[in-house]
């Protein structure tokens, strides 16, 4: 559970990052969403493709605090990726 969270749109990442949702690369120079926050007392930062954020928000597994056991495709929920 998040103690606090800040979501920022990044127009162009400076270096290649790994998407927290689909685990594919977010290439240098492409847009991304940066999510910073404190979860269970630990500060963390993650980057996500814009379409993956939309999938994350509509994913039924996101409502639970448990980690989804399924692999996610870029821009798709776990049920859409099946």
């Amino acid at each position: 559970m998040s103690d606090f969270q800040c979501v920022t749109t990044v127009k162009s990442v400076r270096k290649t990052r790994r998407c927290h949702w689909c685990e594919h690369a977010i290439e240098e120079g492409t847009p991304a969403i940066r999510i910073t926050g404190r979860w269970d007392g630990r500060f963390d930062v993650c980057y996500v493709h814009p379409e993956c954020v939309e999938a994350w928000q509509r994913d039924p597994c996101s409502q639970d605090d448990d980690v989804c056991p399924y692999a996610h495709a870029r821009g798709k929920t776990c049920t859409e990726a099946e």
Side-chain angles (χ1 to χ4, degrees):
M1 178 160 202
S2 174
D3 298 332
F4 80 89
Q5 184 173 316
C6 179
V7 179
T8 307
T9 301
V10 178
K11 291 182 182 179
S12 174
V13 293
R14 293 186 204 174
K15 66 178 187 177
T16 300
R17 305 277 184 174
R18 183 148 318 275
C19 178
H20 184 74
W21 180 255
C22 70
E23 298 189 1
H24 289 107
I26 302 172
E27 298 295 332
E28 178 181 342
T30 61
I33 306 296
R34 182 178 64 215
I35 304 170
T36 57
R38 189 172 66 197
W39 290 269
D40 297 326
R42 195 181 96 231
F43 182 79
D44 203 1
V45 178
C46 68
Y47 288 81
V48 187
H49 294 106
E51 60 271 24
C52 289
V53 169
E54 294 169 11
W56 197 347
Q57 291 171 342
R58 68 178 185 271
D59 189 63
C61 294
S62 297
Q63 305 307 317
D64 299 329
D65 285 339
D66 297 329
V67 175
C68 179
Y70 303 104
H72 299 106
R74 184 173 175 174
K76 295 185 178 183
T77 66
C78 58
T79 54
E80 293 169 351
E82 292 178 342

